[in-house]
Structures are given as structure tokens and as C-alpha cells.
Amino acid sequence: MKHYYQPEIETASREEILKIQNEKIVKQVKYVYDHVPYYRNLMEEKGVSPEDIKSVEDIRKLPFLTKDDLREAYPYGLLGTDLKNCVRIHSTSGTTGKRVVAFYTQKDIDIWEDCCARAIVAAGGTDEDVCQVCYGYGLFTGGSGLHGGSHKVGCLTLPMSSGNTDRQIQFMMDMQATILCCTPSYAAFIGETLAEKGYKPEDNKLKAGIFGAEPWTEEMRKGIEESLGIKAYDIYGLTETSGPGVAFECEEQTGMHINEDHFYAEIIDPDTGEVLPEGSKGELVFTSLDKEGFPLLRYRTKDICILSRKKCSCGRTHVKMTKPMGRSDDMMIIRGVNVFPSQIETVLLKEGYTPNYQIVVDRKNNTDTFDIFVEFPKEMFSDKISDMQSKEQDLKAAMRSMLGIGPKIHLVAPKTIQRSEGKAVRVIDKRKLHD
Ligand code: ADP
Ligand code: ZN
């Protein structure tokens, strides 16, 4: 028997979903026009009025919002209701610059937690589960979102927040946690620490993990699943749209269902802004359909992915997005070649290395330098320097065939690259400092 948190909506027919979206979008656009002067101005500049929006098809007439708009309107410029109606503020982690703040009414929180509850149930969660939340609590959305979802499902919730890995492991074992929620890089670190303490994957009671908030590859998924003895599910979201739970993975693990009754997704060409047909790779754009505190229409996420309406074996009908391949601003251009950190991670893990790596890009004598520091697994160590050098050469060749350019590889001893308890910092681009 299949389980859903809100079965009617999660398995609604395409027509039913469209009907809900069409009704909601008309109201949401009018609401934004009436309450958010910043966006009303953008609409007026484009010559669009709320009456022009009769269905989600008409969304493409609306202007885009970008992170720059959010920064310009900081802090209250995009607020959709009086502050006295809001009950909470969250903020981005500031991965790519100045923070953005988002506001929530109680209704917004309720919907957000429903979305996270859908994700937990899709990962097999029930009220019998013990859900250990080690995303950071606080301004970051990860902790509160999954915490709220876990309560809604009725799991026994362990509000650990991130960090203090020894304590995480002690509670995981003593309280027999069955579901783990954190960033994939922290999950990998917890797996590594468990092994060091002499635990085998079958020693813990975990069955599933809900990991997101940063890009991670299929290879990394495999490593985490093996080290913890679980099934690892992806979850996606961003502060601007509420937080994690905008989209989540089901047991098929072939992309994340977007909660289409609350968010309308488009894929656009990041250069021209043109809406692309289903199946195209491009920038994900979200329109909130029922937000009060921080409603955003056509928000450009900078995340690059593909949408698919292929029937899913889980019975959910909502459109799926592929794992984001990284943000458009994560992409590095090194000696004229486009490089995504996720491609590098794929090669490293395929070649038997650990997900502990750092990419350093710099510019010397007008040429880009490109270095990858990666820990070798203990078993790979040889005290013959030539052995290690030949491993570096092999890895360089594998990188070259994936990326089109060859980085300088530095194999470093286990445990020398700093572990992350939240979002991992993979890239250090020193060129930006010189510009
Ligand atoms: P910041 O932009 O400062 O990191 P957020 O914490 O709001 O702030 O992060 C949202 C971003 O995190 C998304 O736009 C996306 O780039 C990334 N992200 C979130 N979940 C995932 C995921 N499952 N896979 C890949 N990237 C993700
Ligand atoms: Zn599914």
C-alpha cells in the first residue's frame, strides 16, 4: 500500500492540478499587485495588469524577479502583508552574497510544513518514526522546515540542529533514530565518523535520510546509502520560496516532485528569458500560488535543471525536477571551459576517492590555474612517492576526459580537508579577489 501525506492533492489528475493553479494564480497576482508596490511597478513598466492573468498560461506575461530585486527591496520591499500579520523571518545562508530575508504568516508556515511532511512520508516516514533533524536551526530554513514537517507526520522529533557530531551519534544510537535529515555533506561526515567509531551500517536503526540544501551527485548518494545503510532521498527548496520542501523525492529516486498546488515552475533560457518546452535544460523559475508574507512571482532561482511529466511509479502526479546541476553562478569558466563542481565530484567518486575535496582556481601570469585537493582513502596510501604521483596522473586524465581540461591534482591525507556540518564550501575562486 502506498502512503502519501495529502493523497488527494499529491495524486490529483493533471486537470485537477491545473484547475487549482488557475484559480490560485488569479488571486495571487491580484494580491501582489495590491500589496507589493515594488512588483506593481515592474508590472506597470511591462504594461501588464492583474486582469491579463486568467490562468497559469498567462504567467509568462509577468516580469521576472531576481535575487538583485530582493536585495534592492531589502528588507521590507517585497513584503506582502503588514508585519503584524507575520510570525517569522528566515534568511538565506548567504552562499552567494548578501543575505535575503523572507517573511511568513502562520498560514505560510502551515503550508511549508505540509510540504516537508509530504517529503517525510514519501521517504517512508510515519508516526512510528524517530526523525533526527540535524539541519541548522535558526535563520536558516532547513531545521525549522523539517522539524515542522516531522511534527505534522507525528514522528518523534529529535531537534539536534547541526554540529557536535559525537552527540548526534549518541542520540542516533540511544534514541534509535530511523530518519536522518541534514545536508548530504554532513550525512557523509556522520557516516564516516560512525565507521571510525567502529559501527557498521547495520548497527544503526536508520532507514531513510532526507538530504538537500546543496548539490550532490548520484555517486555521493550511493556512498551515503552504503555508509549509513539507508535509502537517501533528495529535497529541494530555497528561502525565497519558504525553504526545503518545494520539491522532494519519492521512492523512484528519479527526480523531485514539485508541490505544484503551491508553486508553479517554469524553465527558461537563462540568457534570453525565453520559456523553454518540457524536457529542456534551463533555469528554474518559481511563482508562489498562495503565499501571504513573501509572495514572489516568477522568481529566477539560478538553479539549472530539467522538468519532466513522465508518469511516476509512486502514483504522485506532480511534475518532477532533476537534481539541480548547480547554480548558474556556481559554474566556473576556467581557461574558457565551463566547469561545474558536480562534474568534478562525479569523477572523484567514480575513481574511488572520497567526497572530501576542494577546488581552488586562481590566475597567474594571465592564465587560470586549476587545482583540486582531494583526500585519498586510507587503503590507497603507498609510501612510494611514484605510486602516489601516478595516481594523481590517472585522476588528472579522468578529469580531463570529463571536463575538457586537466586540473593539477593534489592527493592529501585523510581528514585534512575541513568537514562541513551545513553546506560544504567546495570552490575557492581566488580570481574574484584580484578583479
Ligand atoms: P543560499 O542561496 O544562501 O544558499 P538557501 O539556503 O535558501 O540560501 O539555499 C537555496 C539554494 O540551495 C537553492 O537555490 C539551490 O541552489 C540550493 N539547493 C537547495 N536544495 C538543493 C538540492 N536538493 N540540490 C541542489 N541544490 C540545492
Ligand atoms: Zn514519484
Side-chain angles (χ1 to χ4, degrees):
M1 189 111 140
K2 299 212 186 268
H3 289 283
Y4 313 99
Y5 179 66
Q6 290 168 314
E8 297 80 30
I9 185 67
E10 290 181 69
T11 62
S13 69
R14 182 83 207 108
E15 293 68 39
E16 285 166 325
I17 294 172
L18 260 177
K19 186 163 170 279
I20 294 171
Q21 289 183 322
N22 288 339
E23 280 166 11
K24 285 189 177 181
I25 190 64
V26 172
K27 284 198 200 134
Q28 181 88 105
V29 172
K30 178 148 181 15
Y31 178 87
V32 170
Y33 188 86
D34 290 345
H35 292 83
V36 187
Y38 188 99
Y39 197 79
R40 179 163 65 234
N41 287 340
L42 292 180
M43 283 177 67
E44 278 164 3
E45 270 167 30
K46 229 183 160 217
V48 203
S49 66
E51 295 73 52
D52 297 325
I53 311 301
K54 300 196 175 62
S55 73
V56 283
E57 268 301 297
D58 295 327
I59 279 185
R60 54 185 74 191
K61 296 179 185 161
L62 292 168
F64 290 117
L65 271 176
T66 64
K67 206 154 201 158
D68 287 340
D69 287 307
L70 268 59
R71 288 178 180 143
E72 200 181 311
Y74 178 93
Y76 302 128
L78 288 161
L79 190 64
T81 183
D82 284 351
L83 271 183
K84 76 173 174 58
N85 299 327
C86 295
V87 297
R88 202 179 310 155
I89 290 177
H90 279 286
S91 167
T92 58
S93 353
T95 312
T96 56
K98 193 176 151 195
R99 283 173 179 276
V100 161
V101 286
F103 301 85
Y104 305 69
T105 63
Q106 186 54 49
K107 183 182 158 216
D108 294 333
I109 300 261
D110 216 38
I111 290 175
W112 174 28
E113 292 179 351
D114 281 342
C115 291
C116 290
R118 289 179 192 176
I120 293 172
V121 173
T126 70
D127 57 6
E128 309 266 347
D129 280 294
V130 179
C131 182
Q132 178 163 356
V133 183
C134 29
Y135 284 108
Y137 280 61
L139 282 172
F140 176 56
T141 53
S144 323
L146 271 307
H147 178 97
S150 172
H151 273 222
K152 288 220 172 197
V153 176
C155 304
L156 177 58
T157 309
L158 274 172
M160 302 297 296
S161 195
S162 59
N164 201 338
T165 308
D166 285 345
R167 190 179 62 187
Q168 300 280 3
I169 288 175
Q170 190 197 335
F171 271 84
M172 174 187 292
M173 292 300 176
D174 293 353
M175 300 300 134
Q176 310 205 331
T178 53
I179 298 178
L180 183 68
C181 307
C182 58
T183 58
S185 50
Y186 196 41
F189 180 40
I190 292 176
E192 187 184 9
T193 313
L194 278 171
E196 270 170 22
K197 289 183 184 289
Y199 291 111
K200 290 197 241 10
E202 58 275 21
D203 293 337
N204 69 64
K205 289 273 184 295
L206 292 175
K207 62 177 186 189
I210 304 177
F211 306 130
E214 63 180 358
W216 52 312
T217 56
E218 284 303 327
E219 289 74 17
M220 182 128 166
R221 183 198 320 254
K222 219 168 125 239
I224 296 173
E225 289 188 331
E226 281 166 11
S227 75
L228 293 172
I230 59 169
K231 190 154 168 167
Y233 296 82
D234 202 354
I235 184 165
Y236 169 89
L238 53 163
T239 314
E240 294 89 322
T241 57
S242 59
V246 170
F248 61 92
E249 230 171 23
C250 61
E251 73 257 19
E252 212 186 74
Q253 292 181 312
T254 52
M256 296 176 269
H257 291 285
I258 296 175
N259 285 308
E260 285 191 281
D261 50 330
H262 301 302
F263 303 101
Y264 183 81
E266 298 169 276
I267 291 288
I268 62 162
D269 177 329
D271 297 324
T272 63
E274 182 202 350
V275 179
L276 300 177
E278 190 196 316
S280 322
K281 180 159 118 187
E283 180 179 347
L284 187 56
V285 174
F286 279 117
T287 295
S288 63
L289 293 173
D290 45 19
K291 287 282 263 325
E292 294 177 336
F294 203 63
L296 296 184
L297 306 181
R298 296 199 95 193
Y299 179 64
R300 293 184 59 161
T301 63
K302 296 200 171 176
D303 292 322
I304 305 292
C305 73
I306 300 168
L307 297 184
S308 158
R309 294 206 168 273
K310 225 170 114 206
K311 194 164 185 279
C312 187
S313 59
C314 78
R316 288 178 186 79
T317 44
H318 295 216
V319 69
K320 288 209 277 198
M321 59 181 273
T322 55
K323 271 178 177 304
M325 348 214 145
R327 313 184 194 204
S328 51
D329 48 8
D330 266 352
M331 190 186 78
M332 302 172 282
I333 302 180
I334 306 172
R335 285 176 234 142
V337 179
N338 297 349
V339 176
F340 275 104
S342 57
Q343 297 173 299
I344 293 174
E345 184 173 300
T346 299
V347 176
L348 289 177
L349 276 75
K350 267 199 185 133
E351 299 293 316
Y353 289 88
T354 65
N356 302 305
Y357 63 95
Q358 202 145 46
I359 304 158
V360 181
V361 190
D362 201 350
R363 185 168 295 141
K364 294 217 172 83
N365 304 324
N366 292 321
T367 309
D368 293 332
T369 59
F370 177 20
D371 293 77
I372 300 176
F373 294 81
V374 57
E375 290 178 8
F376 53 79
K378 267 202 308 290
E379 321 73 79
M380 207 184 259
F381 179 73
S382 157
D383 49 13
K384 263 176 70 197
I385 292 181
S386 57
D387 280 355
M388 295 312 273
Q389 280 172 340
S390 93
K391 290 202 166 69
E392 287 177 345
Q393 287 313 317
D394 291 348
L395 187 53
K396 179 174 181 161
M399 286 290 170
R400 189 190 294 283
S401 80
M402 170 70 129
L403 308 172
I405 58 171
K408 183 159 174 37
I409 303 287
H410 308 260
L411 294 183
V412 298
K415 290 263 149 186
T416 46
I417 290 178
Q418 205 192 343
R419 300 297 187 267
S420 157
E421 295 168 349
K423 300 192 188 214
V425 179
R426 305 290 197 194
V427 181
I428 300 176
D429 194 340
K430 297 185 178 165
R431 296 175 301 185
K432 292 183 181 150
L433 299 174
H434 311 321
D435 290 343

